[in-house]
Amino acid sequence: MESSLVKDNPLLLAINRQKTIYDGFITVQVTESNILLHCSCKLKHLLRGYEHIVKQKCSLWLQEVGLKSRPECSSIPPPQYYSQLISEMETLGWDKLLSIDTEFQTLRLKVQDSAGRQHILIIKLKSKHPAEAPECSADLPLPLLITWTPQSTLAQIHHQFLLVLESLTEFWDVLDEIDRQTWILEPEKPSRSDTMRRIAIGNNVSIKVEVDPKHPKMLPECCLLGAELVVTPLRNKLNANMHLWNPDSSLLLNLQDVLEIEFPSPATHEKSAFSVECGICYSYRLEAELPDQVCNNPCCGQPFHQTCLYEWLRALPSSRQSFSVVFGECPYCSKPITVKMPTHQF
């Protein structure tokens, strides 16, 4: 009796030697008017006369977690779903499971690539697993494409994900070198999916690079930020030396060669040297925005947030606007300064 009961209901576990007391989970289906038990005939027979207690506990639980308003709750996996899930996890290895939700449908797996980087793979199983393909997601710079058939397993998803990670090893090596050896202004806390880095060059001068995940050592998209009197010579060097780019060398060394500079590093400079606050709001970071609008007057060079400078100039009667550009005077030195309308203002 005991073996067949556990076989038909794999989420039940005997907690005494006599195997007369069990703990675990029973599948229920929630409808608008009732709560139906989904279990084997043997278990239904054992629960006869106690259905009202089970349904009462289910109702209380549903009220606590607010699941009555969730339409997906009507799709309850059959008992075989749980048996299949347990079997697949035993094959994959329970040590790879970080967490699983209360519905046993969303799994978070930990995966380590060949370079020792830790990744998290999120798998959302459908109630008809494995007949239906699961939804898979991870912190990657490219869409995660998983091949799935009704015969596929979690172990096969894990293997495919490892292959994807290996294909991105060079991309992450490039960005890890930049993160180690330069001061990164943006993003503040890079994730594995971020392809952009804004690297400090000097006081109020930086370069924004967009690295191609498929060709990480090729010349990236570059955008120099800062006062024109400083940025223009750097832009000229970049255009003149572009032919010197060597795909066999590291991206960081190539950037230094074509710009004819050395990037400040954590070993030689403090980050505070590049975190100059905005001259209007007196803060460095305004939500996700940095003060990258710099006065071109060599005697001034005061940085501003684009939003702050735009609002400041627009409020002055002496300023004028042409399309999306506002022309006015620097709040500090009164020399001419211009700013484009922030994109969120359009």
Side-chain angles (χ1 to χ4, degrees), residues 138-157:
D139 190 19
L140 301 175
L142 297 171
L144 177 57
L145 303 177
I146 296 294
T147 302
W148 182 267
T149 67
Q151 290 74 42
S152 297
T153 63
L154 295 177
Q156 290 171 343
I157 292 181

Side-chain angles (χ1 to χ4, degrees), residues 164-235:
V164 172
L165 296 181
E166 292 309 305
S167 70
L168 293 167
T169 296
E170 190 175 49
F171 166 75
W172 285 318
D173 287 343
V174 166
L175 291 180
D176 284 350
E177 181 188 23
I178 293 175
D179 293 343
R180 283 194 312 269
Q181 300 188 22
T182 68
W183 279 118
I184 302 300
L185 303 181
E186 291 183 278
E188 188 176 10
K189 295 179 180 179
S191 67
R192 290 298 177 193
S193 61
D194 287 320
T195 59
M196 184 276 289
R197 293 294 189 274
R198 181 176 172 183
I199 309 170
I201 296 177
N203 193 9
N204 302 325
V205 185
S206 59
I207 184 170
K208 188 181 288 187
V209 296
E210 188 76 33
V211 181
D212 185 350
K214 295 182 179 179
H215 307 285
K217 288 192 173 182
M218 299 300 291
L219 177 66
E221 293 182 26
C222 299
C223 178
L224 288 155
L225 301 169
E228 280 302 314
L229 68 127
V230 180
V231 166
T232 299
L234 290 172
R235 189 180 293 120

Side-chain angles (χ1 to χ4, degrees), residues 25-78:
F25 297 88
I26 298 174
T27 303
V28 298
Q29 181 177 6
V30 181
T31 67
E32 292 183 0
S33 59
N34 202 358
I35 297 175
L36 305 176
L37 298 179
H38 274 238
C39 56
S40 66
C41 295
K42 291 185 177 68
L43 186 56
K44 283 185 178 180
H45 177 75
L46 290 173
L47 293 174
R48 187 171 297 167
Y50 300 96
E51 294 95 334
H52 65 286
I53 297 177
V54 176
K55 293 178 180 180
Q56 183 182 18
K57 288 186 176 293
C58 288
S59 298
L60 291 173
W61 181 72
L62 288 171
Q63 290 172 8
E64 284 183 19
V65 298
L67 292 179
K68 282 187 174 178
S69 61
R70 294 176 57 180
E72 63 267 28
C73 288
S74 60
S75 179
I76 302 297

Side-chain angles (χ1 to χ4, degrees), residues 25-319:
F25 297 88
I26 298 174
T27 303
V28 298
Q29 181 177 6
V30 181
T31 67
E32 292 183 0
S33 59
N34 202 358
I35 297 175
L36 305 176
L37 298 179
H38 274 238
C39 56
S40 66
C41 295
K42 291 185 177 68
L43 186 56
K44 283 185 178 180
H45 177 75
L46 290 173
L47 293 174
R48 187 171 297 167
Y50 300 96
E51 294 95 334
H52 65 286
I53 297 177
V54 176
K55 293 178 180 180
Q56 183 182 18
K57 288 186 176 293
C58 288
S59 298
L60 291 173
W61 181 72
L62 288 171
Q63 290 172 8
E64 284 183 19
V65 298
L67 292 179
K68 282 187 174 178
S69 61
R70 294 176 57 180
E72 63 267 28
C73 288
S74 60
S75 179
I76 302 297
Q80 295 82 356
Y81 167 90
Y82 302 101
S83 302
Q84 176 80 17
L85 176 58
I86 292 172
S87 174
E88 290 186 30
M89 280 307 308
E90 287 176 348
T91 302
L92 176 62
W94 290 100
D95 59 308
K96 294 181 175 62
L97 181 66
L98 275 177
S99 65
I100 186 168
D101 70 340
T102 55
E103 297 173 6
F104 291 84
Q105 290 189 285
T106 301
L107 293 78
R108 296 173 72 249
L109 304 180
K110 59 180 179 179
V111 186
Q112 179 174 295
D113 63 22
S114 59
R117 301 183 186 94
Q118 298 294 328
H119 305 267
I120 296 177
L121 173 62
I122 300 174
I123 303 175
K124 294 184 178 180
L125 301 175
K126 303 295 179 63
S127 58
K128 295 182 180 179
H129 175 80
E132 289 184 285
E135 297 177 12
C136 301
S137 61
D139 190 19
L140 301 175
L142 297 171
L144 177 57
L145 303 177
I146 296 294
T147 302
W148 182 267
T149 67
Q151 290 74 42
S152 297
T153 63
L154 295 177
Q156 290 171 343
I157 292 181
H158 183 269
H159 177 70
Q160 291 184 55
F161 185 59
L162 276 175
L163 295 178
V164 172
L165 296 181
E166 292 309 305
S167 70
L168 293 167
T169 296
E170 190 175 49
F171 166 75
W172 285 318
D173 287 343
V174 166
L175 291 180
D176 284 350
E177 181 188 23
I178 293 175
D179 293 343
R180 283 194 312 269
Q181 300 188 22
T182 68
W183 279 118
I184 302 300
L185 303 181
E186 291 183 278
E188 188 176 10
K189 295 179 180 179
S191 67
R192 290 298 177 193
S193 61
D194 287 320
T195 59
M196 184 276 289
R197 293 294 189 274
R198 181 176 172 183
I199 309 170
I201 296 177
N203 193 9
N204 302 325
V205 185
S206 59
I207 184 170
K208 188 181 288 187
V209 296
E210 188 76 33
V211 181
D212 185 350
K214 295 182 179 179
H215 307 285
K217 288 192 173 182
M218 299 300 291
L219 177 66
E221 293 182 26
C222 299
C223 178
L224 288 155
L225 301 169
E228 280 302 314
L229 68 127
V230 180
V231 166
T232 299
L234 290 172
R235 189 180 293 120
N236 292 337
K237 290 177 182 178
L238 177 63
N239 294 331
N241 297 331
M242 207 174 291
H243 67 282
L244 300 175
W245 192 274
N246 180 10
D248 296 324
S249 184
S250 77
L251 185 143
L252 187 59
L253 289 176
N254 272 315
L255 281 176
Q256 293 184 140
D257 288 343
V258 297
L259 293 172
E260 299 178 14
I261 61 168
E262 284 193 14
F263 288 107
S265 74
T268 59
H269 294 74
E270 294 291 333
K271 192 173 185 179
S272 57
F274 315 109
S275 305
V276 182
E277 62 188 23
C278 169
I280 295 174
C281 72
Y282 301 110
S283 65
Y284 174 62
R285 191 175 293 275
L286 181 65
E287 295 181 353
E289 190 178 343
L290 300 184
D292 53 16
Q293 304 295 307
V294 183
C295 176
N296 287 321
N297 180 6
C299 299
C300 179
Q302 177 65 45
F304 307 96
H305 293 119
Q306 184 182 14
T307 301
C308 294
L309 185 58
Y310 173 78
E311 295 295 341
W312 177 279
L313 295 180
R314 197 176 64 160
L316 297 177
S318 58
S319 301

